[in-house]
Amino acid sequence: MAKRVIIIGAGAILNAWHKPLKAEGVEVAAVVDLNKAAAEAKIAKFEFEGAKAHDDLGTAIAESNADFAVDLTTPNAHCKVVCQSLEAGLDVIGEKPMSETLDQARKMVATADQTGRLYMVSQSRRYVDAHQQIAATVKAGKIGRITSMHCDFFMGCHFGGFRDEMDHVLVNDMSIHHFDLARLFVDADPVSVFAEEYVPAESWYRDGPNANCLFTMTDDIRFTYRGSWCAEGMHTSWHGNWRIIGTKGTITYENDQAPRGQIVVSEEGFNRPLGDVTLAAAPELAGGQHGALQEFLSAIDGGPTPQGECHDNIKSMAMVDYAVQSAESGQRVEVTI
Ligand SMILES: NC(=O)c1ccc[n+]([C@@H]2O[C@H](COP(=O)([O-])OP(=O)(O)OC[C@H]3O[C@@H](n4cnc5c(N)ncnc54)[C@H](O)[C@@H]3O)[C@@H](O)[C@H]2O)c1
């Protein structure tokens, strides 16, 4: 029987979710938004037959006989709507970031524990073949034991609007993608971080468009992150440009080109002779939010724990939160979840 969903939040990102929901045969029972007219408009636009618009989540839950909820609200609402849905017995898949603060995220994880429901955060950049290939290649030990990882992210983004005034704009609004990818690529978690944020000359942002973060990760891996939303010219990819170094070789991934790697093939010479790394095959996953939705649906039918399950995803959230704490205090800080 088709699963029934309540969509919470009828904003821009629903554009990325309506096709995957239809493709997976999910029935949209209700769309909830503080602005009921927005919910009505999206039901009409995406032809969610039989779906009812609501401006109150409680009523939608009571009336819709849904199996799960998709949280597409703004981050300041995630904690409230996710906890309410879990407490009503629904499993939830939601957009990143988990919440605005780590304390809220802790409450969401605790609510998932107390209710025994699944709460998964969709980190859409995990569902990119190249990213899964890098993770699989590292996991297969093809470049040895990982020692270091570096990510550069440089863009000149003139968004206008709230971001120009936002606190810690780069780390709070963008870096979760890169920090979560770092955890995916080398299967390691944050231990401590020293971060510096600054506002470059002639910045059109008020706070933190540039950030340099030095993470120590588990397995003694060092992860350096240099990012800017205020860098004109020679932009990197939105995914960032990466260099992952192991004891036997290196993988690079730059400007959305296929990842490449080299490994030492002989133990002689000043620079050791190198050969190309054959990258491991990526698991077959649909792209972006569709991949996340497939993993979620499989998990609620008894399949494996999905990527982005809240106990795991909170570690990516923590990288953001503690980077901000370090930038504010000027000190290296230990990460505790
Ligand atoms: N994966 C990605 O690459 C990606 C890209 C863009 C946005 N996002 C994420 O998607 C989420 C939504 O972003 P958006 O761009 O669609 O925002 P948006 O502002 O366009 O839409 C959010 C909607 O949620 C509604 N809303 C807010 N609080 C609510 C509540 N308590 N109950 C019901 N409705 C509520 C708002 O009225 C609004 O219509 C954010 O978490 C954002 O970070 C992810």
Side-chain angles (χ1 to χ4, degrees):
M1 215 167 79
K3 291 212 164 35
R4 287 168 63 78
V5 68
I6 300 177
I7 296 171
I8 316 167
I13 201 66
L14 186 49
N15 289 321
W17 284 88
H18 70 100
K19 280 190 189 152
L21 287 166
K22 281 202 175 152
E24 295 304 317
V26 173
E27 227 172 78
V28 179
V31 179
V32 185
D33 200 291
L34 296 177
N35 173 3
K36 193 172 170 189
E40 284 164 350
K42 290 287 160 67
I43 288 172
K45 179 175 177 188
F46 298 129
E47 300 176 347
F48 292 141
E49 260 174 51
K52 201 166 164 206
H54 291 271
D55 56 12
D56 177 61
L57 177 57
T59 315
I61 291 171
E63 287 184 5
S64 62
N65 190 26
D67 299 293
F68 72 99
V70 179
D71 170 27
L72 310 182
T73 61
T74 40
N76 60 345
H78 288 180
C79 183
K80 186 165 171 258
V81 303
V82 167
C83 290
Q84 189 178 348
S85 303
L86 294 170
E87 281 161 358
L90 300 180
D91 297 304
V92 182
I93 179 169
E95 267 294 346
K96 48 59 61 182
M98 193 185 282
S99 55
E100 270 193 321
T101 68
L102 193 55
D103 277 344
Q104 289 171 353
R106 289 183 179 118
K107 184 177 170 201
M108 295 158 92
V109 172
T111 306
D113 282 338
Q114 283 152 16
T115 58
R117 308 317 306 184
L118 171 65
Y119 171 44
M120 166 187 177
V121 178
S122 160
Q123 294 279 171
S124 54
R125 283 162 206 265
R126 284 188 173 235
Y127 304 90
V128 171
D129 283 352
H131 301 175
Q132 292 292 334
Q133 251 190 316
I134 292 170
T137 305
V138 167
K139 194 170 183 185
K142 292 204 174 204
I143 58 169
R145 180 180 161 182
I146 303 304
T147 61
S148 325
M149 174 168 52
H150 308 280
C151 175
D152 278 353
F153 172 72
F154 294 105
M155 288 271 175
C157 295
H158 295 258
F159 296 103
F162 73 93
R163 289 188 180 85
D164 290 0
E165 294 302 322
M166 190 177 167
D167 290 338
H168 310 285
V169 63
L170 180 80
V171 171
N172 267 341
D173 204 43
M174 182 65 212
S175 305
I176 183 82
H177 288 296
H178 303 126
F179 294 170
D180 187 65
L181 279 183
R183 292 187 50 246
L184 168 69
F185 287 162
V186 300
D187 193 19
D189 294 326
V191 173
S192 68
V193 57
F194 175 75
E196 180 194 37
E197 295 175 329
Y198 61 104
V199 181
E202 299 188 24
S203 168
W204 53 95
Y205 296 92
R206 187 184 58 76
D207 189 51
N210 289 14
N212 296 323
C213 307
L214 307 174
F215 285 93
T216 298
M217 310 285 286
T218 45
D219 298 329
D220 211 22
I221 295 168
R222 299 301 194 274
F223 168 44
T224 73
Y225 176 72
R226 304 187 298 181
S228 175
W229 254 345
C230 193
E232 301 286 27
M234 303 302 290
H235 297 161
T236 63
S237 147
W238 276 95
H239 297 313
N241 288 353
W242 293 80
R243 177 174 288 265
I244 302 168
I245 304 169
T247 49
K248 304 283 181 232
T250 291
I251 293 171
T252 60
Y253 172 51
E254 293 169 340
N255 303 320
D256 289 336
Q257 301 300 303
R260 296 184 306 143
Q262 290 183 321
I263 41 166
V264 167
V265 292
S266 156
E267 294 300 337
E268 284 176 21
F270 175 74
N271 290 133
R272 302 301 203 220
L274 298 166
D276 291 341
V277 173
T278 308
L279 293 176
E284 290 199 5
L285 299 172
Q289 279 84 355
H290 196 167
L293 180 66
Q294 283 183 339
E295 285 191 347
F296 174 83
L297 292 173
S298 155
I300 60 179
D301 276 342
T305 304
Q307 301 180 68
E309 191 278 332
C310 61
H311 293 80
D312 187 72
N313 187 264
I314 195 172
K315 296 171 188 167
S316 301
M317 257 296 297
M319 291 175 81
V320 171
D321 196 274
Y322 282 94
V324 166
Q325 284 187 37
S326 172
E328 284 183 345
S329 67
Q331 307 289 318
R332 175 170 283 275
V333 290
E334 302 293 315
V335 175
T336 48
I337 306 297

